[in-house]
Amino acid sequence: MASVLVVEDDQFVRSALIRHLTEAAHTVRSVGTALEALREVAHFSFDVVILDLGLPDLDGAEALKMLRGITDVPVIIATARDDETEIVRLLNDGADDYLTKPFSVEHLSARMAAVLRRSRATGGTPASPVIRVGGLSIDPLRRQAELDGARLDLTRREFDLLAFLAGRPGVVVARKELLAEVWQQSYGDDQTIDVHLSWLRRKLGETAARPRYLHTLRGVGVKLEPPGLEPLR
């Protein structure tokens, strides 16, 4: 069973996908616009996204680039377009697979299974001990995090960011290193990090002005440490 986000503005196609995926025991959420899709992945964790290109508010190709800025969730493009040049470009831009409409539910199921196998295989690592920092408890293997015993609802990228910083408690990590290790990018926009830190702070019950775990050192980097320790200035 997988958690699936369907991004499709055609109500007939959307309903058919939801019905098929639900019958296959998947958990499904669905939206009809690119902006709704971005909002969904920012607040919920998904195993795979099925993305239509012909969206009413933003072309799916642009939506894909924006999705890749905030999450590495596997994305399967589902569209009527069949231009080979565009398919190659989309795959290079971060799509994990591509389906041309019309397609059978069996074909979709097979592609989803293959993408999920690849995703879980590349994410599989030897058993890691649970990381504990103050009231934070982070299980890298199960990809679960708790704060004071309460489960945190984190997106994939938020979890990766939290786990990376928690694995280095008290160590100031430069933004360039965060981009390289968490986003696998040699360069990028600092705003991407700032946005994710803001979302993560909100879920940890803190703010930049009143930090508890996450401390930003202007011009230096970010560190995570348990509450009660005096942050560097």
Side-chain angles (χ1 to χ4, degrees):
M1 185 180 75
S3 176
V4 185
L5 174 64
V6 174
V7 187
E8 170 64 65
D9 68 317
D10 186 306
Q11 191 59 50
F12 178 79
V13 175
R14 187 169 160 187
S15 297
L17 287 173
I18 294 170
R19 183 175 64 255
H20 162 66
L21 293 169
T22 302
E23 289 174 351
H26 298 301
T27 302
V28 185
R29 292 179 67 90
S30 66
V31 294
T33 68
L35 292 180
E36 288 175 317
L38 292 168
R39 191 177 301 117
E40 286 288 306
V41 298
H43 291 90
F44 300 97
S45 295
F46 295 98
D47 296 309
V48 64
V49 173
I50 300 173
L51 175 66
D52 178 48
L53 293 184
L55 300 173
D57 60 335
L58 189 66
D59 185 78
E62 291 302 314
L64 173 64
K65 292 179 182 178
M66 296 177 73
L67 282 170
R68 279 292 165 257
I70 61 174
T71 179
D72 58 357
V73 62
V75 175
I76 298 176
I77 301 294
T79 181
R81 305 179 196 175
D82 60 358
D83 180 70
E84 183 176 353
T85 301
E86 182 173 24
I87 293 173
V88 171
R89 178 170 57 83
L90 287 164
L91 292 172
N92 287 333
D93 284 344
D96 294 85
D97 208 340
Y98 193 105
L99 276 172
T100 302
K101 299 176 182 177
F103 51 81
S104 67
V105 293
E106 292 79 14
H107 194 176
L108 173 61
S109 293
R111 293 295 186 94
M112 274 185 56
V115 165
L116 289 169
R117 280 197 302 271
R118 291 198 299 269
S119 174
R120 288 162 181 167
T122 55
T125 56
S128 303
V130 173
I131 302 169
R132 301 186 190 280
V133 181
L136 275 171
S137 174
I138 302 162
D139 188 335
L141 187 61
R142 299 174 63 195
R143 295 188 65 81
Q144 293 181 0
E146 295 181 351
L147 176 60
D148 298 328
R151 176 84 172 269
L152 292 172
D153 183 17
L154 304 177
T155 65
R156 183 175 302 214
R157 193 73 79 185
E158 288 169 354
F159 180 88
D160 291 342
L161 178 59
L162 180 64
F164 185 79
L165 291 170
R168 299 152 183 78
V171 176
V172 180
V173 181
R175 290 170 177 268
K176 183 176 181 180
E177 185 177 355
L178 287 176
L179 283 170
E181 297 296 334
V182 178
W183 277 265
Q184 285 82 53
Q185 296 177 7
S186 57
Y187 60 91
D189 188 351
D190 279 0
Q191 187 175 4
T192 298
I193 298 175
D194 291 336
V195 168
H196 281 80
L197 285 171
S198 177
W199 289 337
L200 197 50
R201 282 193 174 101
R202 190 179 309 149
K203 293 179 180 180
L204 293 176
E206 61 182 67
T207 65
R210 293 192 171 189
R212 295 182 64 234
Y213 285 91
L214 294 170
H215 301 273
T216 300
L217 283 74
R218 190 179 299 276
V220 182
V222 183
K223 71 172 179 175
L224 183 147
E225 61 186 11
L229 296 182
E230 182 66 24
L232 293 174
R233 298 294 181 185

